[in-house]
Amino acid sequence: MRKARNELLQFLAGLAMLITGLFIFSQKVMVSSGFFGYGLRLGGFHVNNGLIMVPFIIGVVWMFASEGSFASKVFTAAGVLIIVVAIIMTTNISLIHISLFEWGLILVLIFGGAGLLARILFAGRRVQESEASGADRKQIEDTSARVRAIEDELESMKKGK
């Protein structure tokens, strides 16, 4: 019973460490987007922000004009996907200036918490595997005992003839 409580405490401690580390990390990251100023660069092509909306607009018009054909829905979904990709590609993520101590603390909290959680979450599998290997060994022993019994019976039948 004490072991289960210990595992629960380890799980909660790992979860608290992970959440705290991710919270501090999220407070130290600056996210900005240049969607309205930069446009989208695909290879050597520069696509302005207004042009990114064109496939979506064509898909919506096509969907209403053709009473919702499958092709128009696919074209509209592709337009939405292009818009989402453009937003993601023009997002800038940077870490603000922090001390080495803060950075180390963030890393220890995130990866230490994740390690504790992984140890607790995957411990059940190790126990099941060891039980399964024990069950496999018992099955092998039972099978070999049956084989020995059959061989002994065959030997006694040979001697009896």
Side-chain angles (χ1 to χ4, degrees):
M1 208 59 177
R2 184 170 183 221
K3 187 176 182 183
R5 244 185 306 169
N6 190 14
E7 287 180 355
L8 179 61
L9 286 175
Q10 288 180 2
F11 177 80
L12 292 175
L15 188 63
M17 286 174 63
L18 182 63
I19 290 171
T20 303
L22 289 174
F23 176 75
I24 294 171
F25 181 71
S26 70
Q27 297 297 311
K28 302 294 182 182
V29 172
M30 180 83 69
V31 179
S32 61
S33 179
F35 185 70
F36 295 107
Y38 301 114
L40 179 65
R41 285 198 177 273
L42 297 172
F45 300 105
H46 179 74
V47 181
N48 290 332
N49 294 329
L51 291 177
I52 292 172
M53 300 297 290
V54 170
F56 175 70
I57 294 169
I58 291 172
V60 170
V61 170
W62 187 9
M63 195 166 32
F64 281 101
S66 68
E67 298 177 1
S69 70
F70 179 73
S72 67
K73 291 177 182 176
V74 169
F75 201 80
T76 304
V80 169
L81 183 65
I82 290 170
I83 292 168
V84 170
V85 166
I87 291 170
I88 291 171
M89 287 180 67
T90 57
T91 300
N92 300 318
I93 300 173
S94 59
L95 190 62
I96 64 172
H97 295 287
I98 60 174
S99 68
L100 181 61
F101 176 75
E102 288 176 314
W103 182 241
L105 180 67
I106 290 169
L107 292 178
V108 166
L109 286 172
I110 291 173
F111 292 108
L116 276 175
L117 286 176
R119 182 170 67 180
I120 298 302
L121 292 175
F122 297 121
R125 289 186 180 171
R126 279 187 269 147
V127 170
Q128 289 174 354
E129 287 173 1
S130 65
E131 288 174 357
S133 63
D136 291 341
R137 274 188 255 123
K138 185 176 180 180
Q139 185 178 7
I140 290 170
E141 290 172 3
D142 289 345
T143 304
S144 62
R146 288 180 188 159
V147 168
R148 280 192 300 263
I150 291 171
E151 288 175 349
D152 291 342
E153 189 174 331
L154 286 173
E155 286 297 320
S156 65
M157 290 172 99
K158 285 180 186 177
K159 289 179 184 177
K161 285 187 178 178

